[in-house]
Amino acid sequence: MTERPLWTPDCARATSSSLWRFMAPLGFTRFDEVLRFSVESPEAFWSALWDFCAVKAETRGSAVLVDADRMPGAKFFPDARLNYAENLLRRNDDGDALVFRGEDKV
């Protein structure tokens, strides 16, 4: 069995992605680098992702990750207080707020 990807986006598509906009300021140029960063430095990764996504919260809290050695069981941003709907519905336009695509749907 080969570990070759089934599909790879062209450069224009890759560099216009949200993932690219997240990873480029962090100094990553390849997707596997940001994956490695997420595994090797989970607190730094999730802190950077929180900032990138501009999460709206009453408080973020000081802890990013508690009990990292307990997967499952670790807690991310355990002291954060936020309103999920406020983050989901942050845009004030006619765009979709939520889209679902099931694997078994056409």
Side-chain angles (χ1 to χ4, degrees), residues 7-25:
W7 175 81
T8 302
D10 62 35
C11 185
R13 185 170 188 159
T15 58
S16 68
S17 70
S18 294
L19 180 55
W20 184 268
R21 287 191 304 277
F22 168 67
M23 63 186 238

Side-chain angles (χ1 to χ4, degrees), residues 5 12 15 20 24-25 27 42 44 50 59 67 76 78 80 84 87-88 94 97:
T15 58
W20 184 268
W50 175 291
T59 183
D67 294 328
F76 293 88
Y84 181 74
N87 284 276
L88 183 67
D94 292 330

Side-chain angles (χ1 to χ4, degrees), residues 62-74:
S62 58
V64 173
L65 177 59
V66 175
D67 294 328
D69 57 333
R70 295 181 58 210
M71 292 286 186

Side-chain angles (χ1 to χ4, degrees), residues 30-104:
R30 295 189 348 242
F31 297 126
D32 63 320
E33 292 172 326
V34 78
L35 172 61
R36 187 175 326 108
F37 173 57
S38 74
V39 172
E40 293 176 356
S41 303
E43 286 186 61
F45 171 82
W46 286 102
S47 181
L49 191 63
W50 175 291
D51 294 339
F52 174 77
C53 293
V55 174
K56 293 181 176 193
E58 180 181 317
T59 183
R60 174 178 166 161
S62 58
V64 173
L65 177 59
V66 175
D67 294 328
D69 57 333
R70 295 181 58 210
M71 292 286 186
K75 293 183 176 85
F76 293 88
F77 303 102
D79 301 319
R81 293 191 45 88
L82 57 89
N83 181 309
Y84 181 74
E86 180 182 19
N87 284 276
L88 183 67
L89 303 172
R90 72 175 58 214
R91 292 179 15 197
N92 187 14
D93 60 20
D94 292 330
D96 295 333
L98 183 64
V99 175
F100 170 79
R101 292 187 178 98
E103 291 184 25
D104 61 337

